[in-house]
Amino acid sequence: MSKTFKVAVVGATGAVGEVMLSILAERNFPVGELVALASERSAGGKVKFGHRDVVVQDLATFDPTGVDIALFSAGGSTSKEYAPKFAAAGAVVIDNSSAFRYDADVPLVVSEVNPDQVKNRPRGIIANPNCSTMQMLVALGPLHRKAKIERINVATYQSVSGAGRSGLEELGRQTAGILNFQQADPQRFQVQIAFNLIPHIDDFLDNGYTKEEMKLVWETRKILGDDSIQVNPTAVRVPVFYGHSEAVNIETRDKLTVAEARKLLENAPGVEVVDEHKAGGYPTPVTHASGRDAVYVGRIREDFSHPRGLNLWVVSDNIRKGAALNAVQIAELVAAEG
Ligand code: A2P
């Protein structure tokens, strides 16, 4: 009989955890036993794993002994407290929070870009990158390998699902309320998100950037293994339910033509090019990305203000490739180690 794994999903009731469960089932991950964990609030409730209902257990009282692989998506503080306990009990932890991403002894892995790093995990923890960095690097990885990217200018358009279930609920509630002439009441987001844009995701740092923006800088350098890459980010929350979009401008050391870039992207794993100069000939969160696995790239064009500049429009489902799918792909790499 082929090997199976005892898999724990921590945060199983959340927006990402729910999709981790469905992707594990869809991709026939060799699950011997599935454990769904969340807070005490959800313990005793049920979540779907394929056609089965699985009873949710309380993370705080769960004994991790015997867990082979644990997928964590329950926020940074939960990961900080519990991931080391699971790793000490022998599990390989794949953590979707930012708790360990910048630790030198924790690999940060995009499965199409630096899969070999999965093996370098002295603490038994592998970090899943931030959703915006993830989709950007699935597209930029092959361009960097060919022409060496020296600088990235990126503006993100990030959907509310990146803020979890409460983000989805807030956009739905505010939209319905405003259409009924009620005042929006911001709770999850800093100001009204319905029919609005918010250039503020995660905390402000001393340098005037937000932490979400700096994740694009720190994580790009770590994943591409190149601290010389300059990244200039602006991260914006937009009233879209699922799917992040990014206007990306790169400056490369070697000239890349549009035709060369398109060819590299067409052959890149995990990428789909949608780039026709007509109505709808470009990816959008609703028409292409939502509920799908690929990173969609369109609007590929030369930056006519720079001799070695290129512009791209990159769209992907932030909950799937940006979080749950990549975590499961990392688990597949771990499982393949035998
Ligand atoms: P719960 O549903 O019991 O609160 P989202 O990102 O969609 O908000 O989901 C967050 C996930 O993390 C949920 O599954 C949530 O469980 C879980 N979670 C949050 N805090 C804790 C905690 N202290 N212990 C265990 N799970 C937690």
Side-chain angles (χ1 to χ4, degrees), residues 249-252 255-256 301-303 306-311:
N249 172 269
I250 57 170
E251 296 168 12
T252 51
K255 169 84 181 164
L256 255 190
R301 61 207 191 280
E302 264 185 50
D303 169 1
H306 190 283
R308 284 163 284 101
L310 204 67
N311 293 312

Side-chain angles (χ1 to χ4, degrees), residues 46-89:
K46 286 182 182 149
V47 289
K48 281 262 174 250
F49 174 56
H51 298 298
R52 284 200 290 130
D53 285 330
V54 178
V55 176
V56 178
Q57 302 181 53
D58 179 5
L59 174 66
T61 55
F62 176 75
D63 175 3
T65 309
V67 172
D68 297 304
I69 296 175
L71 305 178
F72 271 69
S73 193
S77 54
T78 305
S79 289
K80 271 207 177 91
E81 183 174 354
Y82 291 96
K85 293 182 181 163
F86 276 64

Side-chain angles (χ1 to χ4, degrees), residues 10-16 37-43 58-60 73-75 78 82 163-166:
V10 180
T13 53
V16 172
L37 298 163
S39 77
E40 194 187 0
R41 294 180 288 275
S42 315
D58 179 5
L59 174 66
S73 193
T78 305
Y82 291 96
R165 208 175 279 293
S166 56

